[in-house]
Amino acid sequence: MLLLSDEKKISNKKPIFVFFLILINILFFLYSLHNFNFFIKEYGLIPQKILEGKKILTLFTYMFLHGNLLHLLGNMWFLWVFGKNLEKKLGHLNFLKFYFICGLFSSIFYVFFSKDLNTPLIGASGAISGILGGYLIFFPKNQIKTLIPFFFFLEIISIPAIIFILIWFLYQLINLNIQTSVAYLAHIGGFLCGLVLAKNFKR
């Protein structure tokens, strides 16, 4: 199931901070390439360090590092598709606060529940998972254009956002205990934070 686009545009306002966050992530990725291991070690989030009260700033800096180009492009595409309408709904500054609060909660959630305390956590996916949680609250019926493999063929279908996002969340839960480089735990933390925050914003 490959995400293509959100079919509904709620207004003509420009998603300023979605553009900004994508640009910053791309610039950080390109800059980190000249000494990748150093950046991961210094600015990636290592749970053990946080529990020792060290490198607290990495609770934020980890969000701007990505392991490879595919990691970056996947995260930025989800941010673009789901972030545009959410920024228009919340307003620019509220959206930016929403993004960073979800990213921060995602990292804290990961620190306290992860079994691997010494592997660095990197990537914007915790914050973007929060965006999905917010999107689910505000736009559950929006149609999400999706590419679906069907035997030897590919078919483009539109499914409600609530279905797409719940399938995505179920996938995170199923893979939670599988040993991979993907931090599914951080995704779950960010998503739950996004749900709660969005409900409060909606009030």
Side-chain angles (χ1 to χ4, degrees), residues 29-189:
F29 175 73
L30 293 175
Y31 188 68
S32 70
L33 291 178
H34 80 277
N35 197 344
F36 183 74
N37 290 333
F38 169 81
F39 277 90
I40 299 302
K41 182 179 177 181
E42 290 298 314
Y43 301 108
L45 187 151
I46 301 174
Q48 186 62 47
K49 296 291 185 183
I50 300 298
L51 293 172
E52 293 171 356
K54 302 174 183 178
K55 296 198 171 185
I56 301 301
L57 191 61
T58 60
L59 289 168
F60 290 96
T61 57
Y62 86 97
M63 290 184 243
F64 298 100
L65 297 172
H66 289 86
N68 53 53
L69 184 59
L70 187 61
H71 186 200
L72 174 70
L73 292 177
N75 277 346
M76 294 306 100
W77 187 245
F78 266 74
L79 176 57
W80 173 250
V81 172
F82 291 105
K84 299 194 305 295
N85 279 343
L86 191 62
E87 180 175 349
K88 294 171 185 178
K89 185 72 175 180
L90 297 178
H92 302 307
L93 291 178
N94 279 338
F95 172 80
L96 193 64
K97 287 189 288 185
F98 188 97
Y99 180 90
F100 282 114
I101 290 170
C102 289
L104 176 61
F105 183 84
S106 170
S107 62
I108 293 172
F109 190 86
Y110 183 82
V111 165
F112 283 102
F113 293 104
S114 176
K115 297 176 182 178
D116 185 355
L117 298 180
N118 293 299
T119 299
L121 171 67
I122 59 172
S125 51
I128 295 167
S129 297
I131 299 298
L132 268 68
Y135 197 96
L136 179 61
I137 297 300
F138 284 106
F139 309 109
K141 296 180 181 179
N142 274 21
Q143 295 296 307
I144 304 299
K145 192 174 288 186
T146 310
L147 185 67
I148 303 288
F150 186 73
F151 293 103
F152 298 106
F153 303 97
L154 295 174
E155 185 171 353
I156 295 175
I157 65 171
S158 295
I159 59 177
I162 187 171
I163 301 299
F164 183 96
I165 294 173
L166 288 179
I167 290 173
W168 171 88
F169 185 65
L170 181 62
Y171 180 80
Q172 311 308 305
L173 292 176
I174 290 172
N175 288 280
L176 188 57
N177 293 315
I178 297 176
Q179 293 278 346
T180 72
S181 60
V182 180
Y184 294 106
L185 190 61
H187 298 176
I188 292 169

